[in-house]
Amino acid sequence: MDGLFGFFQNMIHSFSDAIFLSLIKEDRYQYLIQGLLMSLKLTLVAAVVGVILGLLLAIAKLQDVDNLTGSRFVVGLRRWVAGFANGYISVIRGTPAVVQLMIIYFVVFSRLLNQVPLLNLLTDWQIAGIAFGINSAAYVAEIIRAGILAVDKGQTEAGRSLGLSGGATMLHIVIPQAVKNVLPALGNEFIVLLKETSVAGYIGIADLTKGAQSVGSITYDYMVPLLCAAFIYFLMTTVLSTGIGKLERRLRRSD
């Protein structure tokens, strides 16, 4: 019994020393705090870009319907827009997010910076946020498209009968109902997006995961910083899931 007690006592002392070395000594916890703030900024930018671009892609993809009316140019243009949206979604969903991040950062933006001086105003983390948003938009587009198709066609007909244009009907009647229907799926996409930002270190962004790696490279002990990073990610996703659940229940009351 004394030997077992001594074993656990030594293990607790070792873990305490590791916590002091990784977090407290020289204020190394600041690496994790700064990384957390960076991860949140990346997620916020990516979510805004993903929702806006995803909504546009969803509407564009819905242009490819049977019995299109109008001139040949208008019909051709609508089908081309739908084809572009389909191609975009297929390419983005068919390639890894980290590869897209590296292509956008090292290839696309590095060349555009020399041709479009205005892009020099963007910082590295903003470019990374845009890259994550471009990736997320493909998934958000399919989520929103499914929500729009789930709205009863009578809602559209009612809006048109009230004198609203097709765009106004979509904006004020169809999309609000679609968003309420797909809110759980959108919340899940935001959670995935938050975790996907952990690969930002591939382009040198000091996010939460990169901060944990930096602490480990200093102390040569990766256990404590990586466990702390994992726990912080878990807390953030739990808070986000709880918030989405409460919002969903509140919107459901209007039914």
Side-chain angles (χ1 to χ4, degrees), residues 43 188 190-199 209 233 237:
T43 304
N188 183 68
F190 293 151
I191 291 173
V192 172
L193 183 59
L194 173 61
K195 294 186 292 184
E196 275 188 351
T197 59
S198 61
V199 301
T209 302
Y233 276 117
T237 55

Side-chain angles (χ1 to χ4, degrees), residues 22-34 215:
S22 299
L23 301 179
I24 301 175
K25 187 177 181 180
E26 298 178 358
D27 295 335
R28 288 173 185 150
Y29 66 90
Q30 290 289 344
Y31 286 95
L32 297 178
I33 293 178
Q34 296 300 322
V215 173

Side-chain angles (χ1 to χ4, degrees), residues 163-235:
L164 296 176
S165 64
T169 301
M170 177 68 70
L171 179 63
H172 297 291
I173 297 178
V174 177
I175 290 180
Q177 297 183 62
V179 170
K180 185 168 65 173
N181 292 335
V182 302
L183 187 60
L186 279 177
N188 183 68
E189 171 59 24
F190 293 151
I191 291 173
V192 172
L193 183 59
L194 173 61
K195 294 186 292 184
E196 275 188 351
T197 59
S198 61
V199 301
Y202 278 91
I203 60 172
I205 303 297
D207 69 312
L208 179 57
T209 302
K210 186 68 174 179
Q213 291 177 331
S214 298
V215 173
S217 65
I218 296 172
T219 62
Y220 299 101
D221 183 5
Y222 288 88
M223 182 183 69
V224 171
L226 289 179
L227 286 177
C228 288
F231 181 69
I232 293 172
Y233 276 117
F234 173 75
L235 283 180

Side-chain angles (χ1 to χ4, degrees), residues 53-54 56-64 75-93 134 137-138 141-142:
L53 185 56
L56 295 176
L57 288 170
I59 295 175
K61 194 170 181 178
L62 290 171
Q63 300 304 306
D64 189 12
V75 171
L77 178 62
R78 292 179 66 179
R79 293 197 182 280
W80 182 88
V81 169
F84 172 81
N86 279 313
Y88 178 98
I89 293 172
S90 297
V91 171
I92 294 298
R93 294 200 302 177
I134 290 173
E142 289 296 273

